[in-house]
Amino acid sequence: MASNMRGLTQFIADIRGARVRELEEKRINKEMANIRKKFKDGNLDGYQKKKYVAKIIFTYILGYKVDVGHMEAVNLISSPKYSEKQILLMHENSDFLRLVVNSIRKDLDGNNEVDNCLALHAIANVGGSEMAEALVEDVHRLLISPTSQSFVKKKAALTLLRLYRKHPDVFPAAEWALRIVSIMDDTDLGVVICVTSLVMALAQDHLAPYAVCYNKAVDRLHRLVIEHEYLATYAYYKVPSPWLQVKLLRLLQYYPPSDDPNIRTVLHEVLQTIMNNSAEPSRNVQHNNAQHAVLFEAIGLAIHLDSSSPLVGTAAILLARFISSKETNVRYLGLDTMAHLAARADSLEPIKKQQNIIILSLRDKDISVRRRALDLLYSMCDVDNSELIVGELLRYLRVADYALREEMVLKIAILTEKYANSYKWYVDTILQLISAAGDHVGDEVWYRVVQIVTNTEDLQEYAAKVVFQHLKAPSTHESLVKVAGYILGEYGHLIANEPGYSPIEQFRVLHGKSQFCVASTRSLLLSTYIKWVNVFPEIKPQLLNIFERYRHVLDSELQQRACEFYALASRPEEDELLQNVCEEMPPFPPRVSALLGRLNQKHGDTGDKRTWVHGGKEANLDREVTKKKTVLVETNGGSAPAASDGGDILGSLAGLDLSGSIQSPTAKAGGGLFTENGAPPVAVGPNVDRWFDKLTWNAEGILYEDVQIQIGVKSRYQGHIGQLAIYLGNKVPSPLTSFTTSLHISDPEALSVTFAKIPPSTIAPRTQTQQLLHVECKKMFTTPPVLSISFLAGSHQTLSIRLPIVITKFFEHVKLGSTDFFERWKLIGGPPREAQLVFPVELTSAGQLDLVKHRQVVGGHRLNILEDIDPNPSNIVAAAVLHTSAEGKVGCLLRLEPNREAKLCRITVRSTSEDVAAEVLKLLQKPLKD
């Protein structure tokens, strides 16, 4: 910019040439006066405005206040020239920002891609909450527009990401979920990378609405890693788009492992291929870096999916090699990923084999590697190796970096308490920790020591002896004095009769440390002394002397305590008030350790939330339970409490019945996109219902059709297993892109429906594609599964339809004679295992019963029509057996008795399961009525 403007170049040169600040200010004031005069006179062309505004911007960058040029900058934004439009002199809180919203919106809506990008840059960099609220929909429209160029889509996606991070409240994340996720199928991998970054941020806070991204991520990984479907420009040192692979692998870790066997198979193949590609290192450093970035994220996903799988076993071998690497980055990532494995694995044996190498990493030259080694040792600690690891950490604590010490103290204290094989070892270790760590010991550590000693009677005498010995050291940290003051005050009398622990010796040692302590610690010691007045009358004169001296100090807290204690100690010996006041402290109520809460505060939140925490499998299981409870609280309309208090997150809700008003998390998160039971709202209409009802008693036919798409079904069933072929036809002369299919099953424990393979993402013009579904009936169900389809055809289309999978599809014929039928009919008996209904029926044009249709409906529902059972030829008698994998077989008998004169029909169903009888009656009556 400066090379094209001589005046600006000269102004910058003058400023840089100023030898003192006074000369610089003089030159700037002169220039600002000239600019004010020029703006006041007017008649400036675009070039002159741009030059003067550029000088103002340079002045603002130097740190000087600017009170001129804002309106000229606003006018420049409306200029048709790129060189003038690109100058924007504003910040997020500027009042002038409101004036440019319409100009920016005009540039967003225009057909000039350069103007679009300039507007997006302005929104991302200076857009405050008002601008975000006004323009977020325009940015979203630019992202999803089929006419937008790829580089505009990339900038729009990143602008939305910036807006969401700065102002999440103005972003309707759930409402836009399907449309944003559909762009993950874009042919341009650059667009896919940017949109995946946006989806990662949104999915962390809105898991349910963005769940459809799971299949898209798996499909894209399969196409990149297995099918090598990418342009050469996106291969970085022969690694296909490593940035996209890393993002997709991380995105999959936000969701629980899929139950779909096809998805699991594809993911296993992708992860196996990634690990095989990284088995042997290359001589090219850049290739290794890209390969390792993908590999470590792939290992993280493998651990997330199944920590006991063979893939994780292979990963453990690779990690053992990486933590011994000469490269710092590889060691860092190896230790971090191994900590993930330790946090999830059922067995720590593969990690324990590398224990010596991990301990040596504590002395690595790089502090980030040392921090990861500390995290790994913390996660891999258990009952067997706790003494060794805690001992090593204590030894390293004395020479550790100051940046690590506070975190180390917390972790040593947690491990010591969690894996203590004896209380004596716990006390010895914690007191060593307090002595060694000094100022880095937080109050939570010594509070916890006091709590445990108070609650453990067998430990009190030993704790008093050990803390007294530590107190004799020449230099003692104040935290240790606090612990000693409390323990000796409560339990010093237990050791007073032993040599070297007499009351006067305890008093001299403890009081000798008080002169180096702050007022709060001295207050605690005064409480210790009043307790000694009660149990050690032989040193009462010395203690009264202390109280007398502290009655005249300036600190109000110390003075008040000393006065009160002096008055209490001066009462007659027969007075019981002192004994009552100085009674031994009762045990503390059971409570959660505050150390974990403090450690979580230390870690804090990051932009990309971890899918696991340090601390072994138990800590991660507790975290999953907490997350589920938090989701329940949020869906009930409240905000979840912070997890950093260290207490029970839902403790304040104990005893409340939350079941009555809690909605499904999916329904809540969907923002109106889901019904109350969590299923998407299904398509309705006379034809849709008619097609569905017909397919409940036919094996094939049309399920849905409109001007764009036709969906047909062909099915076959045997026992409790079935196959459903869905034919998807594109009726328009343009392709259906970003084609996504998903299934919603209201009761997965009763019915299993899975895709045989990952569906294609594009359907060519006027062609048909087939998707095969595997169906299994586990037990009785009443709600058919819902198939959701979304695709791009000019605009984004979404469709949800019921699949004709009903309980009668799993019936098999039974042959019964007349005697057997009526015996079983009577054996089953009447209600509740009988369902009966009388309903009107339509006669044919000839005034006769449509007996052919009746037989077709009953037979279509896979009931075997038994001949020669009922003497009335118009009546139908049928029998079948329902097959389920979990509950076995269920018998079902039916009698259909139409009456031509009354134009009525009675249907009676009896079954060994009352639910089956009611459901079969409901399925049969509708087609028989029509």
Side-chain angles (χ1 to χ4, degrees):
M1 186 192 297
S3 61
N4 298 328
M5 293 187 243
R6 228 178 261 174
L8 176 62
T9 305
Q10 185 60 47
F11 175 62
I12 294 174
D14 291 346
I15 295 297
R16 289 178 174 172
R19 289 172 294 174
V20 292
R21 184 173 178 82
E22 286 76 13
L23 292 176
E24 180 182 294
E25 290 180 354
K26 183 177 179 181
R27 179 68 181 91
I28 286 174
N29 290 335
K30 179 182 177 183
E31 191 64 42
M32 289 298 107
N34 179 54
I35 291 173
R36 284 191 189 91
K37 183 174 182 301
K38 294 290 185 182
F39 283 160
K40 186 176 181 181
D41 294 343
N43 299 323
L44 298 175
D45 58 22
Y47 169 79
Q48 290 173 316
K49 287 182 182 178
K50 179 181 68 172
K51 178 177 68 175
Y52 291 136
V53 169
K55 289 181 179 181
I56 294 171
I57 290 175
F58 182 72
T59 304
Y60 177 75
I61 291 172
L62 290 177
Y64 291 92
K65 288 186 178 181
V66 173
D67 57 357
V68 66
H70 292 91
M71 286 305 301
E72 284 69 22
V74 171
N75 294 333
L76 284 175
I77 292 173
S78 304
S79 170
K81 293 183 180 180
Y82 171 81
S83 60
E84 297 172 9
K85 187 185 288 290
Q86 67 177 330
I87 293 183
L88 182 64
L89 174 60
M90 289 185 192
H91 54 83
E92 185 174 331
N93 299 318
S94 172
D95 293 333
F96 289 90
L97 209 55
R98 302 183 185 94
L99 303 177
V100 303
V101 168
N102 287 333
S103 297
I104 293 177
R105 180 180 284 118
K106 182 180 177 183
D107 288 338
L108 287 176
D109 295 339
N111 295 324
N112 188 322
E113 290 85 3
V114 175
D115 290 352
N116 295 158
C117 293
L118 271 177
L120 291 170
H121 279 236
I123 295 168
N125 289 304
V126 299
S129 58
E130 291 185 16
M131 180 180 281
E133 189 172 355
L135 297 176
V136 66
E137 292 189 3
D138 298 272
V139 178
H140 174 252
R141 187 162 54 248
L142 204 57
L143 171 65
I144 67 176
S145 171
T147 59
S148 294
Q149 296 291 331
S150 292
F151 67 91
V152 176
K153 286 185 178 181
K154 289 191 282 189
K155 291 182 184 297
L158 296 177
T159 301
L160 284 177
L161 177 58
R162 175 69 70 88
L163 290 179
Y164 180 72
R165 286 174 174 168
K166 289 171 69 177
H167 313 289
D169 296 338
V170 305
F171 200 107
E175 183 182 333
W176 291 349
L178 292 176
R179 192 62 185 87
I180 290 175
V181 170
S182 67
I183 308 175
M184 290 177 69
D185 286 324
D186 199 278
T187 53
D188 190 305
L189 284 186
V191 174
V192 177
I193 292 173
C194 295
V195 171
T196 303
S197 298
L198 175 60
V199 171
M200 286 178 69
L202 295 169
Q204 290 181 74
D205 300 322
H206 307 275
L207 279 176
Y210 286 84
V212 69
C213 73
Y214 196 94
N215 288 0
K216 298 230 179 253
V218 174
D219 181 45
R220 179 65 72 173
L221 280 171
H222 184 263
R223 285 152 59 188
L224 279 174
V225 178
I226 306 300
E227 298 178 356
H228 303 289
E229 187 182 314
Y230 58 90
L231 297 177
T233 51
Y234 285 98
Y236 179 79
Y237 289 91
K238 300 181 182 179
V239 180
S241 190
W243 299 276
L244 179 57
Q245 287 192 58
V246 167
K247 289 178 185 293
L248 294 173
L249 292 165
R250 173 59 63 91
L251 178 60
L252 292 175
Q253 294 178 57
Y254 297 153
Y255 289 90
S258 173
D259 294 328
D260 190 329
N262 181 48
I263 294 289
R264 289 202 300 268
T265 302
V266 172
L267 269 179
H268 184 276
E269 184 182 4
V270 168
L271 296 175
Q272 186 68 64
T273 304
I274 291 174
M275 290 186 188
N276 292 342
N277 292 342
S278 307
E280 293 300 326
S282 166
R283 292 185 178 180
N284 189 300
V285 176
Q286 285 82 2
H287 174 82
N288 279 341
N289 288 340
Q291 198 73 58
H292 287 150
V294 177
L295 173 64
F296 284 117
E297 208 59 63
I299 294 173
L301 178 58
I303 295 168
H304 175 74
L305 294 176
D306 183 6
S307 60
S308 58
S309 69
L311 278 177
V312 176
T314 305
I317 298 171
L318 290 172
L319 292 174
R321 190 180 78 199
F322 290 139
I323 63 175
S324 304
S325 171
K326 294 181 180 179
E327 290 198 29
T328 303
N329 290 340
V330 176
R331 290 198 306 277
Y332 174 92
L333 290 170
L335 290 166
D336 189 54
T337 309
M338 194 172 273
H340 185 188
L341 177 58
R344 295 279 191 183
D346 294 320
S347 171
L348 295 172
E349 291 307 316
I351 302 173
K352 288 180 181 178
K353 292 178 182 177
Q354 315 303 323
Q355 187 166 286
N356 292 333
I357 298 175
I358 298 166
I359 290 173
L360 285 175
S361 299
L362 281 174
R363 289 164 174 79
D364 194 277
K365 61 184 179 181
D366 190 292
I367 187 173
S368 60
V369 175
R370 297 197 292 272
R371 193 181 292 276
R372 293 287 79 81
L374 171 61
D375 291 336
L376 177 51
L377 286 171
Y378 175 69
S379 294
M380 66 181 283
C381 188
D382 62 11
V383 178
D384 298 329
N385 61 7
S386 57
E387 291 194 23
L388 175 62
I389 288 179
V390 169
E392 286 292 339
L393 292 177
L394 276 173
R395 277 191 289 276
Y396 175 62
L397 180 62
R398 301 177 189 277
V399 295
D401 304 80
Y402 283 100
L404 283 176
R405 286 194 181 184
E406 187 176 353
E407 186 178 339
M408 283 191 71
V409 168
L410 287 171
K411 289 183 173 178
I412 292 171
I414 292 169
L415 293 178
T416 306
E417 179 184 341
K418 188 175 182 181
Y419 298 111
N421 51 14
S422 71
Y423 284 118
K424 291 183 178 180
W425 178 76
Y426 171 77
V427 170
D428 291 340
T429 305
I430 289 294
L431 292 179
Q432 285 181 46
L433 173 65
I434 294 173
S435 300
D439 293 333
H440 300 280
V441 177
D443 286 340
E444 299 88 354
V445 176
W446 76 266
Y447 287 169
R448 191 64 176 166
V449 177
V450 164
Q451 181 184 337
I452 290 175
V453 171
T454 304
N455 289 12
T456 312
E457 189 174 350
D458 297 339
L459 183 62
Q460 292 163 0
E461 182 178 345
Y462 180 78
K465 282 184 178 180
V466 174
V467 79
F468 184 70
Q469 292 301 325
H470 277 275
L471 210 56
K472 286 183 176 180
S475 61
T476 308
H477 192 267
E478 194 162 337
S479 296
L480 190 62
V481 175
K482 293 176 183 177
V483 176
Y486 184 93
I487 292 178
L488 291 177
E490 291 292 332
Y491 312 113
H493 63 280
L494 299 177
I495 60 172
N497 295 328
E498 297 187 22
Y501 299 99
S502 65
I504 190 65
E505 288 178 293
Q506 292 186 36
F507 168 70
R508 286 173 180 167
V509 172
L510 186 59
H511 188 61
K513 304 293 182 182
S514 65
Q515 57 185 324
F516 306 109
C517 299
V518 296
S520 60
T521 306
R522 293 185 184 188
S523 298
L524 187 148
L525 294 181
L526 288 180
S527 299
T528 301
Y529 298 157
I530 192 63
K531 292 208 172 223
W532 278 351
V533 169
N534 185 42
V535 295
F536 299 146
E538 61 268 34
I539 61 171
K540 183 175 179 179
Q542 291 91 328
L543 297 173
L544 281 171
N545 186 36
I546 298 295
F547 294 146
E548 173 63 32
R549 278 192 294 161
Y550 274 96
R551 288 170 64 188
H552 306 290
V553 296
L554 295 177
D555 187 276
S556 59
E557 170 69 17
L558 278 172
Q559 188 184 85
Q560 182 176 350
R561 285 196 184 214
C563 290
E564 292 174 357
F565 292 162
Y566 183 83
L568 197 59
S570 302
R571 296 178 72 87
E573 293 185 4
E574 63 273 7
D575 194 334
E576 296 182 357
L577 178 61
L578 179 62
Q579 295 179 13
N580 295 334
V581 170
C582 298
E583 280 186 358
E584 190 175 303
M585 285 288 290
F588 290 92
R591 63 181 68 171
V592 178
S593 172
L595 298 176
L596 286 171
R598 175 68 176 161
L599 185 61
N600 292 337
Q601 284 181 352
K602 287 289 295 176
H603 286 305
D605 290 332
T606 58
D608 187 11
K609 298 177 179 125
R610 273 192 184 273
T611 57
W612 54 280
V613 293
H614 296 293
K617 190 169 184 179
E618 289 180 10
N620 283 275
L621 290 175
D622 292 343
R623 180 174 181 266
E624 291 299 321
V625 171
T626 301
K627 279 177 66 178
K628 289 176 183 176
K629 288 183 179 179
T630 305
V631 168
L632 288 178
V633 174
E634 289 174 345
T635 55
N636 199 28
S639 59
S644 57
D645 331 359
D648 182 9
I649 290 184
L650 292 183
S652 58
L653 301 179
L656 295 180
D657 181 12
L658 301 179
S659 59
S661 57
I662 290 178
Q663 300 177 5
S664 160
T666 309
K668 184 73 175 180
L673 299 177
F674 299 88
T675 57
E676 288 184 2
N677 67 347
V682 297
V684 293
N687 288 338
V688 176
D689 293 339
R690 179 168 52 82
W691 290 326
F692 173 79
D693 291 337
K694 189 173 182 180
L695 281 170
T696 59
W697 54 278
N698 281 283
E700 57 184 80
I702 292 176
L703 181 60
Y704 180 84
E705 187 172 12
D706 59 22
V707 295
Q708 292 178 316
I709 192 170
Q710 182 188 64
I711 303 174
V713 168
K714 187 180 287 186
S715 61
R716 61 177 183 178
Y717 295 86
Q718 183 173 1
H720 63 278
I721 299 295
Q723 277 190 338
L724 197 73
I726 301 177
Y727 297 90
L728 301 159
N730 179 4
K731 297 172 64 177
V732 295
S734 57
L736 303 180
T737 58
S738 190
F739 201 90
T740 305
T741 55
S742 59
L743 290 164
H744 176 83
I745 304 165
S746 60
D747 187 1
E749 294 183 358
L751 182 68
S752 169
V753 185
T754 56
F755 289 107
K757 61 180 182 179
I758 296 180
S761 59
T762 303
I763 301 180
R766 303 192 187 283
T767 60
Q768 188 181 71
T769 184
Q770 174 187 324
Q771 290 189 21
L772 193 64
L773 298 180
H774 295 304
V775 187
E776 180 186 5
C777 177
K778 301 175 183 177
K779 57 184 181 180
M780 172 64 196
F781 67 93
T782 57
T783 306
V786 175
L787 174 70
S788 294
I789 297 171
S790 63
F791 55 89
L792 289 175
S795 62
H796 189 254
Q797 310 286 331
T798 304
L799 172 68
S800 295
I801 49 175
R802 294 171 296 167
L803 291 176
I805 301 175
V806 293
I807 197 66
T808 54
K809 296 290 185 182
F810 304 96
F811 278 178
E812 281 202 349
H813 287 187
V814 175
K815 293 182 180 180
L816 295 174
S818 176
T819 305
D820 291 338
F821 177 85
F822 285 109
E823 278 183 4
R824 298 189 184 191
W825 184 267
K826 291 177 183 178
L827 185 63
I828 294 173
R833 292 190 289 183
E834 176 187 275
Q836 189 178 82
L837 183 69
V838 177
F839 55 90
V841 291
E842 297 286 336
L843 301 179
T844 64
S845 56
Q848 300 296 322
L849 292 168
D850 194 349
L851 299 178
V852 174
K853 182 183 177 183
H854 291 177
R855 297 178 73 87
Q856 286 176 344
V857 170
V858 174
H861 278 286
R862 300 175 65 84
L863 286 126
N864 185 28
I865 298 176
L866 305 175
E867 306 293 348
D868 303 325
I869 300 292
D870 195 304
N872 187 340
S874 300
N875 295 349
I876 296 176
V877 176
V881 172
L882 170 64
H883 288 260
T884 63
S885 59
E887 296 182 346
K889 299 179 180 181
V890 178
C892 184
L893 306 175
L894 174 139
R895 293 184 71 182
L896 185 69
E897 301 164 293
N899 187 312
R900 184 173 66 85
E901 288 75 15
K903 295 183 181 179
L904 296 173
C905 181
R906 182 172 69 186
I907 180 172
T908 308
V909 181
R910 290 186 179 181
S911 171
T912 51
S913 166
E914 57 186 272
D915 295 330
V916 172
E919 182 65 16
V920 171
L921 178 69
K922 185 178 79 172
L923 292 170
L924 283 167
Q925 63 161 322
K926 193 166 185 180
L928 291 172
K929 278 183 181 179
D930 298 337

